[in-house]
Amino acid sequence: MDNLTAARATMAFSLGFHIIFAAIGMTMPLFMSAAHWLWLKKKNPVYLELTRMWMRGVAILFAVGAVSGTVLSFELGLLWPGFMRHAGPIIGMPFSWEGTAFFLEAVAIGLFLYGWKRMRPWVHWATGLAVGVTGFMSGIFVVAANGWMNAPSGFDWIDGVAHNIDPVKAMFNRAWLHQSIHMQLAALQAVGFGAAGIHAFLYLRGKTRDVHLRALKIAMTFGAAASIAQPFAGHFAGQRVAQLQPAKLAAMEGHFETSRRAPLYIGGIPDEETRTMRRGVPIPGMLSFIAHDDINAEVAGLDQFPREDWPPVVITHIAFQIMVGIGMAMALLGVLYFIYARRDRFPAWFLRALVVFTPLGMVAIEAGWIVTEVGRQPWIIYNIVRTRDAVTPVPGMVWHFALFLVLYIGLAITTVWLFKRQIQTVQKKFEQQT
């Protein structure tokens, strides 16, 4: 493994680990606040216990997310000094704002954890809601920085040096809005279905059913609503990618030749040598519609770009297909959820489907970030700095990768153990009460 590959693998693994806990840390406080609100309104002790259970989970995930997020910030400087040299003066604002949001989130968590019986009930509830709001803002600021990598703006690039820097324009770049909406909805989807799937599993086991049914409803209300909204956000994102990164869109769809009435492929494997799609099912004109709202519009293919500027087509296409496939299935389940919730009856097959989908939302998030990051290659700053030119010249990055691989695996095992222990403790408490 060469230095560049090791550095990319380290960053990919670190980001892939962190994004799971970041997504949960952003959205679980909203579930917790919903349960707390229901407790204050209805005084049903089940909602109080759900609030406390999710509160402990939020605390655990905040700690894990803080550790893994801090490591990522160091890795940017250690592994990619070429990126920081160019990007630091331009895109520092969202990182500083993210740090502020993280600080406020930490304060809000402290107030909520230790504010029971020390604060007025609705003020205490507001501190819990603040945890979710600041977590969401933190995620938006980080995505804004990533959006700048995909659509760099706020400077003039002259002879390899940035001039006339405008940090506000850089932060609110042309990619931040669609990426932020897409990511925040994805987090709500993944965590909503994940939490609902866990509670559906416990419900089907037949113990403390009332508790788990109420928890499932809270989680799925968020998850189902986000899932139904996501296809519309995805359409908006697809159009923006077509404008800002046409090579990425072509790789996502395995679209090699520029054409009108371009087909959208379901499945298939792109063949970069023959520049064809193998075994895919084409839908004529659909790619043109997605990109330009016109089935007869021309869509740029990979033939418009030098071969050395192509993203890894097969990886990008497969990851995109996984993301879209899972997302559409979740949207369908979201519609069914609201139908069954209105009837206040959930068939056993639907609950089993939620159990199956417990991890799939996170799989879709990981696939989506593969599309975002791999689809931008070979650029670390799109059309400005190549990834190979930004990596550290210091040798031995493979040992760095091995060290962090062990660290993150250990952290993941510890987190799962803590969560399992927490669920078992709460389950026993519920059983004793009933």
Side-chain angles (χ1 to χ4, degrees):
M1 184 181 293
D2 60 30
N3 222 40
L4 175 60
T5 303
R8 290 182 64 185
T10 302
M11 199 72 190
F13 189 81
S14 301
L15 181 60
F17 180 91
H18 175 70
I19 198 171
I20 293 174
F21 295 98
I24 299 173
M26 285 192 299
T27 52
M28 278 299 296
L30 300 179
F31 302 175
M32 175 188 75
S33 295
H36 194 189
W37 183 83
L38 289 168
W39 152 246
L40 292 173
K41 293 291 288 185
K42 298 184 177 182
K43 298 302 180 183
N44 186 328
V46 169
Y47 292 121
L48 178 61
E49 292 304 322
L50 281 176
T51 303
R52 292 182 181 275
M53 177 182 69
W54 283 337
M55 174 189 72
R56 297 184 185 99
V58 167
I60 293 170
L61 290 165
F62 179 81
V64 176
V67 172
S68 57
T70 301
V71 169
L72 274 171
S73 64
F74 279 108
E75 285 180 344
L76 278 174
L78 292 172
L79 303 179
W80 310 102
F83 170 77
M84 296 305 295
R85 181 172 65 253
H86 296 298
I90 305 172
I91 201 64
M93 181 180 287
F95 285 119
S96 64
W97 285 23
E98 191 275 337
T100 301
F102 178 78
F103 173 77
L104 294 174
E105 184 181 5
V107 172
I109 284 179
L111 290 172
F112 189 78
L113 287 175
Y114 300 104
W116 294 96
K117 299 182 180 180
R118 294 180 176 88
M119 304 170 70
R120 292 184 178 180
W122 284 105
V123 174
H124 182 231
W125 171 81
T127 64
L129 180 62
V131 177
V133 172
T134 52
F136 251 62
M137 294 306 298
S138 179
I140 288 172
F141 294 140
V142 169
V143 173
N146 181 267
W148 179 84
M149 297 167 70
N150 291 318
S153 57
F155 62 95
D156 295 323
W157 191 251
I158 304 172
D159 297 328
V161 179
H163 298 272
N164 304 321
I165 294 172
D166 183 344
V168 176
K169 187 176 180 181
M171 178 173 170
F172 297 106
N173 54 78
R174 292 173 295 170
W176 83 272
L177 180 61
H178 73 263
Q179 284 195 206
S180 295
I181 294 172
H182 193 48
M183 179 62 215
Q184 305 308 85
L185 287 175
L188 285 169
Q189 279 183 274
V191 181
F193 272 80
I198 292 171
H199 288 288
F201 173 77
L202 296 171
Y203 177 88
L204 289 170
R205 292 182 63 183
K207 296 182 179 180
T208 58
R209 284 192 159 192
D210 182 55
V211 173
H212 297 301
L213 184 60
R214 292 175 189 272
L216 183 154
K217 287 181 177 179
I218 293 173
M220 274 302 292
T221 298
F222 285 95
S227 296
I228 294 169
Q230 188 67 279
F232 301 98
H235 179 58
F236 171 55
Q239 292 187 324
R240 297 298 290 166
V241 171
Q243 296 171 15
L244 302 174
Q245 295 176 288
K248 176 187 284 187
L249 180 69
M252 288 160 55
E253 298 292 352
H255 185 57
F256 290 98
E257 303 295 332
T258 301
S259 63
R260 295 185 179 275
R261 200 174 177 82
L264 174 75
Y265 280 91
I266 298 176
I269 303 294
D271 189 326
E272 296 184 45
E273 297 302 320
T274 62
R275 301 191 177 192
T276 58
M277 180 72 74
R278 293 187 287 110
R279 294 190 294 274
V281 178
I283 304 177
M286 186 56 67
L287 179 56
S288 294
F289 177 79
I290 290 175
H292 303 292
D293 282 337
D294 180 358
I295 62 172
N296 295 309
E298 181 177 273
V299 179
L302 289 166
D303 60 334
Q304 296 292 309
F305 307 93
R307 184 66 180 82
E308 62 270 18
D309 291 348
W310 286 15
V313 180
V314 175
I315 295 174
T316 305
H317 175 74
I318 292 175
F320 180 69
Q321 292 282 311
I322 290 171
M323 179 189 70
V324 171
I326 293 175
M328 295 306 293
M330 293 173 79
L332 175 60
L333 286 176
V335 172
L336 291 174
Y337 166 75
F338 284 117
I339 293 173
Y340 292 134
R342 188 172 182 178
R343 299 174 183 173
D344 200 24
R345 183 181 62 84
F346 299 97
W349 72 264
F350 179 78
L351 297 175
R352 294 190 186 98
L354 292 182
V355 174
V356 172
F357 270 77
T358 301
L360 293 186
M362 290 301 172
V363 173
I365 284 181
E366 297 286 6
W369 274 100
I370 289 172
V371 172
T372 299
E373 297 303 297
V374 176
R376 189 181 60 248
Q377 300 308 311
W379 309 97
I380 193 168
I381 304 175
Y382 191 64
N383 282 340
I384 300 290
V385 179
R386 291 182 181 269
T387 305
R388 66 168 182 261
D389 298 327
V391 71
T392 177
V394 177
M397 287 299 103
V398 66
W399 299 107
H400 187 93
F401 171 61
L403 173 64
F404 279 91
L405 186 65
V406 172
L407 172 66
Y408 280 128
I409 290 175
L411 194 59
I413 292 172
T414 302
T415 304
V416 171
W417 176 78
L418 287 171
F419 259 89
K420 183 179 179 181
R421 182 181 178 185
Q422 177 64 25
I423 291 173
Q424 290 175 340
T425 300
V426 173
Q427 183 73 14
K428 289 180 181 178
K429 186 175 182 179
F430 284 149
E431 290 175 1
Q432 290 171 356
Q433 291 177 346
T434 55

